Amino acid sequence: MAFRKALQRTAIVGGGAIAALFGLSQAVEYRKKQARLAHVAAEAELKLPYPDDFPTRKAQLAALKDTEEFDVLIVGGGATGAGCALDAVTRNLKTALVERSDFSSGTSSRSTKLIHGGVRYLQKAILQLDYEQYMMVKEALYERANLLEIAPHLASPLPIMLPVYKWWQLPYYWAGIKMYDVVAGIQCLKSSYVLSKTKALELFPMLKKDKLVGAIVYYDGQHNDARVNTAIALTAVRYGAAVANYTEVIHLLKRSDPVSGVEKVCGAHCRDVMTGQEFDVKAKCVINATGPFTDSLRKMDNQKTENICQPSAGVHIVIPGYYSPDNMGLLDPATSDGRVIFFLPWQNMTIAGTTDTPTNVTAHPIPREEDINFILREVRNYLSPDVVVRRGDVLAAWSGIRPLVTDPNSKDTQSICRNHIVSISDSGLVTIAGGKWTTYRSMAEETLDAAVKSHSLTANPCKTMGLKLEGAKGWTPTAYIRLVQDYGLEKEVAQHLASTYGGRAFDVAKLAQVTGRRWPIVGKRLVSEFPYIESEVLYAIKEYACTAIDVIARRTRLGFLNVQAADEALPRIVQIMGKELNWNQERQTAELEAARKFLYHEMGYRSRSEQLTKTTEINLEYQEVMRYKKRFHTFDKESKGFITTVDVQRVLESINVQIDENALHEILNEVDLNKNGQVEFDEFLQLMSALKKGQVSDSRLATLMKTAEETLGKREPVSVDRSGGGV
């Protein structure tokens, strides 16, 4: 961008560089004010072709096929690709976007959920006098403020605590964090501050007390990444872009330039993944925004081109919300291997990560057990000894692939700057690669500037700065109260809808069914302990959800929060989608199997059964074995050596406990390792041994059998609810 280039021309090398950095704040403030004034005028000029309902996916595909030629075709529906589509369509360019899977199905839904400049990047910039890295942080902080403004329902400031255990580190870290505030300038969310040991423990009581000297708290942003990505894509649709998920590029179209004779990219041959139908999409300019798959599309253009992307895997885990305060994150600035670990509250759970290891590019990354255990070890180092974080507490785990831009010969992904590049091939393919979630908008702006210039497109200036995303209009912090009052929704459900859909939450509420109970009046939950309701499945279809995976992973975030809960919600989700989309029984079965495979491999569900399977040696004392044998025989009256749902149901009826038959099957299936429909005594002992070791936590079967055994003597009814269930 012109502003950045102007600043780069004034850069001072050597020791004077730091002084130059501090002199930029006034220029940035001026830039922000001018941008806001420009946006007020620009937004008034924008037309909104679809202010109410979105065009259907079928209509979008028809537009892709029937349009004679688009100005811009974007390949990739992640944050950057969707950002490019929104930037292009609001410049009055005829815009198309295709994504071979779902919006945000890759890296953009698997982030740390932070929108930030990068504290450690600023540290490197100062220590190494790296001007480029400094500008990356500066730009990210600028974009952080913008994202918080344009999607206030999906993004908010989050205080993050940096605990200090050595006195000399206190002034060192304080100076660095204060520099972060200074660089942010007027975009600083809230000023950082120092806490005494007592105050730090008051705000974060789970923190390890031993040798703690104090803490520093600074502010960054947090967001619901997949929902923000979807909101960007939907906003582009509102403004008239032809956008289609599950549409893959088979090969690029080319034609010979009449002047130079060089072959130029002029579109793409695409395939509708849902139907198999193939068609051409013609465009004056094609933009490659495919993230980790950047080089795949570049090689479609030219097989001889060298790779510019070096992928890195980042694993995250989710554990119960009680491991962190509701509104305070934690930063471990120096783990045992030099990486950074965040420990953050998110969606009433706690998210911890991330790792940073070289990997191969795949559409289905799997979290490795060694990475999960690494995160757990690092988390334990910062928590009080009486707070035992068990392996079985992991409710979900995932791996995301970062598309780092690097020299092909580089091997150390940890030292690579998360900056981006925009390149244009000889045939005119525009590629945007690398970068950060936070800077998606400015990356899109720079990409479209390059595309307009290189392809001589007639376009207006960029108008996305300050442009509200889907749901932002009509949202207020108290919008949930109206949802409760007008529709009779539970408070928790209303708060969830408002913070997920913003002003569009009322559209979701209108689809909600009557519960038949005194309260809530409407809003049937998909699972009891999460605020997701059935009408969200119907609304997800309007938002172009095509599969059950789209619903559990990206329209709702259930699969990222608790894989067991997601698995239990799947049959009802498939049933609702099947009725709405006219799926036959074969399609419904296939959807259920595909979604469970997704949870099993990509969301960490596999780990739970592995934890039990790996417990080949039953580590129990003789007295414990005898106690569990007696408990088992309470259910196994015929001494068959195994129990079934019939056995469990019989005991429950004797103590006046009612559990749905399907739920009972699910409870036993969690422990039924060989999947033969019954739980053998050895499997039960393996479960109890795994619980003792902390490999598994909160087993519903173990809780049910223990409570039933205790109640048989007292003859008092008990209730058994899911207690979380680890993976």
Short mmCIF file of all heavy atoms in Angstrom, two decimals, residues 26 41 109 157 160 178 220 276 310 342 388 406-407 425 435 483 494 496 501 548 565 577 606 608 616 658 688 717:
data_model
loop_
_atom_site.label_atom_id
_atom_site.label_comp_id
_atom_site.label_asym_id
_atom_site.label_seq_id
_atom_site.Cartn_x
_atom_site.Cartn_y
_atom_site.Cartn_z
N GLN A 26 1.54 9.60 14.87
CA GLN A 26 0.69 10.68 14.35
C GLN A 26 0.23 10.38 12.93
O GLN A 26 -0.92 10.65 12.57
CB GLN A 26 1.45 12.01 14.39
CG GLN A 26 1.63 12.55 15.81
CD GLN A 26 2.28 13.93 15.80
OE1 GLN A 26 2.94 14.29 14.83
NE2 GLN A 26 2.10 14.67 16.86
N ALA A 41 -18.48 8.17 3.40
CA ALA A 41 -18.91 8.53 2.05
C ALA A 41 -19.07 7.29 1.17
O ALA A 41 -20.02 7.17 0.40
CB ALA A 41 -17.91 9.50 1.43
N SER A 109 -10.64 -21.81 10.49
CA SER A 109 -11.51 -22.22 11.60
C SER A 109 -10.71 -22.87 12.73
O SER A 109 -11.28 -23.22 13.77
CB SER A 109 -12.58 -23.20 11.12
OG SER A 109 -11.97 -24.40 10.65
N PRO A 157 -12.55 -7.45 23.11
CA PRO A 157 -11.24 -7.41 23.78
C PRO A 157 -11.15 -8.49 24.86
O PRO A 157 -12.16 -8.85 25.47
CB PRO A 157 -11.22 -6.01 24.42
CG PRO A 157 -12.25 -5.23 23.69
CD PRO A 157 -13.31 -6.21 23.31
N ILE A 160 -5.20 -10.57 28.88
CA ILE A 160 -4.33 -11.76 28.93
C ILE A 160 -3.24 -11.52 29.97
O ILE A 160 -2.54 -10.51 29.93
CB ILE A 160 -3.71 -12.05 27.55
CG1 ILE A 160 -4.83 -12.30 26.52
CG2 ILE A 160 -2.75 -13.23 27.62
CD1 ILE A 160 -4.34 -12.50 25.10
N LYS A 178 4.44 -2.64 27.38
CA LYS A 178 4.16 -1.22 27.23
C LYS A 178 4.47 -0.75 25.81
O LYS A 178 3.78 0.09 25.23
CB LYS A 178 4.95 -0.39 28.25
CG LYS A 178 4.26 -0.25 29.59
CD LYS A 178 2.91 0.45 29.42
CE LYS A 178 2.08 0.42 30.69
NZ LYS A 178 0.71 0.93 30.46
N ASP A 220 -5.72 -8.00 24.10
CA ASP A 220 -5.78 -8.30 22.67
C ASP A 220 -7.23 -8.61 22.34
O ASP A 220 -8.11 -8.52 23.21
CB ASP A 220 -4.87 -9.48 22.33
CG ASP A 220 -3.62 -9.04 21.57
OD1 ASP A 220 -3.72 -8.09 20.77
OD2 ASP A 220 -2.54 -9.64 21.76
N GLY A 276 -21.30 -33.31 -8.92
CA GLY A 276 -20.35 -33.81 -9.92
C GLY A 276 -20.41 -33.05 -11.23
O GLY A 276 -19.60 -33.30 -12.15
N GLN A 310 5.60 -23.00 3.08
CA GLN A 310 6.08 -24.07 3.94
C GLN A 310 5.08 -24.25 5.08
O GLN A 310 4.99 -23.40 5.97
CB GLN A 310 7.47 -23.75 4.51
CG GLN A 310 8.03 -24.88 5.36
CD GLN A 310 9.48 -24.66 5.72
OE1 GLN A 310 10.25 -24.15 4.91
NE2 GLN A 310 9.85 -25.01 6.93
N PHE A 342 -0.82 -20.19 24.64
CA PHE A 342 -1.93 -19.41 25.16
C PHE A 342 -2.91 -20.33 25.88
O PHE A 342 -3.11 -21.48 25.47
CB PHE A 342 -2.67 -18.68 24.03
CG PHE A 342 -1.93 -17.50 23.48
CD1 PHE A 342 -1.17 -17.61 22.32
CD2 PHE A 342 -1.98 -16.28 24.13
CE1 PHE A 342 -0.49 -16.52 21.81
CE2 PHE A 342 -1.30 -15.18 23.62
CZ PHE A 342 -0.55 -15.30 22.47
N VAL A 388 -5.37 -30.39 39.02
CA VAL A 388 -4.80 -31.48 38.22
C VAL A 388 -5.49 -31.52 36.86
O VAL A 388 -6.66 -31.88 36.75
CB VAL A 388 -4.97 -32.84 38.94
CG1 VAL A 388 -4.33 -33.95 38.11
CG2 VAL A 388 -4.36 -32.78 40.33
N THR A 406 8.00 -18.78 2.95
CA THR A 406 9.40 -18.95 3.29
C THR A 406 10.21 -19.36 2.07
O THR A 406 9.67 -19.73 1.03
CB THR A 406 9.55 -20.05 4.36
OG1 THR A 406 10.92 -20.21 4.70
CG2 THR A 406 9.03 -21.38 3.88
N ASP A 407 11.52 -19.30 2.25
CA ASP A 407 12.45 -19.87 1.27
C ASP A 407 12.27 -21.38 1.29
O ASP A 407 12.20 -21.99 2.35
CB ASP A 407 13.88 -19.51 1.70
CG ASP A 407 14.91 -19.95 0.67
OD1 ASP A 407 14.82 -21.10 0.22
OD2 ASP A 407 15.79 -19.15 0.35
N SER A 425 2.02 -14.15 -11.63
CA SER A 425 2.78 -15.00 -12.54
C SER A 425 2.81 -14.40 -13.95
O SER A 425 2.08 -13.44 -14.24
CB SER A 425 2.18 -16.40 -12.58
OG SER A 425 0.93 -16.37 -13.26
N GLY A 435 0.65 -14.57 5.79
CA GLY A 435 -0.12 -13.59 6.54
C GLY A 435 -0.76 -14.14 7.79
O GLY A 435 -0.55 -15.29 8.18
N LEU A 483 -34.63 -10.84 22.70
CA LEU A 483 -34.87 -12.22 22.26
C LEU A 483 -35.61 -13.00 23.34
O LEU A 483 -36.51 -13.79 23.04
CB LEU A 483 -33.54 -12.90 21.92
CG LEU A 483 -32.84 -12.44 20.64
CD1 LEU A 483 -31.42 -12.96 20.59
CD2 LEU A 483 -33.62 -12.91 19.42
N ALA A 494 -30.44 -17.11 24.28
CA ALA A 494 -30.56 -15.77 23.68
C ALA A 494 -29.21 -15.08 23.60
O ALA A 494 -28.88 -14.45 22.57
CB ALA A 494 -31.54 -14.93 24.50
N HIS A 496 -26.31 -16.55 23.41
CA HIS A 496 -25.55 -17.26 22.36
C HIS A 496 -25.97 -16.80 20.97
O HIS A 496 -25.12 -16.51 20.12
CB HIS A 496 -25.75 -18.77 22.52
CG HIS A 496 -25.61 -19.53 21.23
ND1 HIS A 496 -24.40 -19.64 20.57
CD2 HIS A 496 -26.53 -20.17 20.46
CE1 HIS A 496 -24.58 -20.33 19.44
NE2 HIS A 496 -25.85 -20.66 19.37
N TYR A 501 -25.03 -14.48 15.81
CA TYR A 501 -25.69 -13.98 14.59
C TYR A 501 -25.91 -12.47 14.62
O TYR A 501 -26.33 -11.89 13.61
CB TYR A 501 -27.03 -14.69 14.39
CG TYR A 501 -26.91 -16.19 14.33
CD1 TYR A 501 -27.11 -16.96 15.47
CD2 TYR A 501 -26.56 -16.84 13.15
CE1 TYR A 501 -26.99 -18.34 15.44
CE2 TYR A 501 -26.44 -18.22 13.10
CZ TYR A 501 -26.65 -18.97 14.26
OH TYR A 501 -26.51 -20.33 14.22
N ALA A 548 -23.55 -32.16 7.37
CA ALA A 548 -23.65 -32.14 8.83
C ALA A 548 -22.37 -31.61 9.45
O ALA A 548 -22.40 -30.96 10.50
CB ALA A 548 -23.96 -33.55 9.36
N ALA A 565 -20.49 -34.38 22.76
CA ALA A 565 -21.76 -33.67 22.61
C ALA A 565 -22.12 -33.55 21.13
O ALA A 565 -23.29 -33.71 20.75
CB ALA A 565 -21.66 -32.29 23.25
N MET A 577 -31.65 -31.70 8.60
CA MET A 577 -31.12 -31.37 7.28
C MET A 577 -31.74 -32.26 6.21
O MET A 577 -32.03 -31.80 5.10
CB MET A 577 -29.60 -31.50 7.27
CG MET A 577 -28.87 -30.52 8.17
SD MET A 577 -27.07 -30.59 7.99
CE MET A 577 -26.84 -29.68 6.45
N ARG A 606 -10.91 -39.82 18.40
CA ARG A 606 -10.14 -41.06 18.36
C ARG A 606 -9.32 -41.24 19.63
O ARG A 606 -9.13 -42.35 20.12
CB ARG A 606 -9.21 -41.04 17.15
CG ARG A 606 -8.33 -42.27 17.04
CD ARG A 606 -7.40 -42.17 15.85
NE ARG A 606 -6.45 -41.08 16.00
CZ ARG A 606 -5.44 -40.87 15.16
NH1 ARG A 606 -5.28 -41.65 14.13
NH2 ARG A 606 -4.61 -39.87 15.36
N ARG A 608 -9.90 -40.67 22.69
CA ARG A 608 -10.52 -41.24 23.87
C ARG A 608 -10.48 -42.76 23.84
O ARG A 608 -10.09 -43.41 24.81
CB ARG A 608 -11.98 -40.77 24.00
CG ARG A 608 -12.60 -41.29 25.28
CD ARG A 608 -14.06 -40.90 25.44
NE ARG A 608 -14.49 -41.23 26.78
CZ ARG A 608 -14.82 -42.45 27.18
NH1 ARG A 608 -14.75 -43.45 26.35
NH2 ARG A 608 -15.21 -42.67 28.43
N THR A 616 -3.63 -51.51 28.35
CA THR A 616 -3.60 -52.97 28.32
C THR A 616 -3.26 -53.55 29.69
O THR A 616 -3.75 -54.60 30.06
CB THR A 616 -2.55 -53.45 27.29
OG1 THR A 616 -1.30 -52.79 27.56
CG2 THR A 616 -2.98 -53.09 25.89
N GLN A 658 -35.04 -43.00 34.94
CA GLN A 658 -35.42 -43.14 33.55
C GLN A 658 -34.35 -42.52 32.65
O GLN A 658 -34.02 -41.35 32.80
CB GLN A 658 -36.77 -42.45 33.29
CG GLN A 658 -37.94 -43.04 34.08
CD GLN A 658 -38.25 -44.47 33.67
OE1 GLN A 658 -38.16 -44.81 32.49
NE2 GLN A 658 -38.60 -45.30 34.64
N MET A 688 -11.95 -48.20 34.55
CA MET A 688 -11.68 -47.74 35.91
C MET A 688 -10.19 -47.44 36.11
O MET A 688 -9.81 -46.50 36.82
CB MET A 688 -12.15 -48.78 36.93
CG MET A 688 -13.64 -49.12 36.83
SD MET A 688 -14.73 -47.69 36.68
CE MET A 688 -14.51 -46.93 38.29
N PRO A 717 -34.21 -42.10 44.30
CA PRO A 717 -33.98 -41.89 42.86
C PRO A 717 -32.81 -40.94 42.62
O PRO A 717 -32.61 -40.00 43.38
CB PRO A 717 -35.29 -41.27 42.37
CG PRO A 717 -35.90 -40.66 43.59
CD PRO A 717 -35.48 -41.53 44.74
#
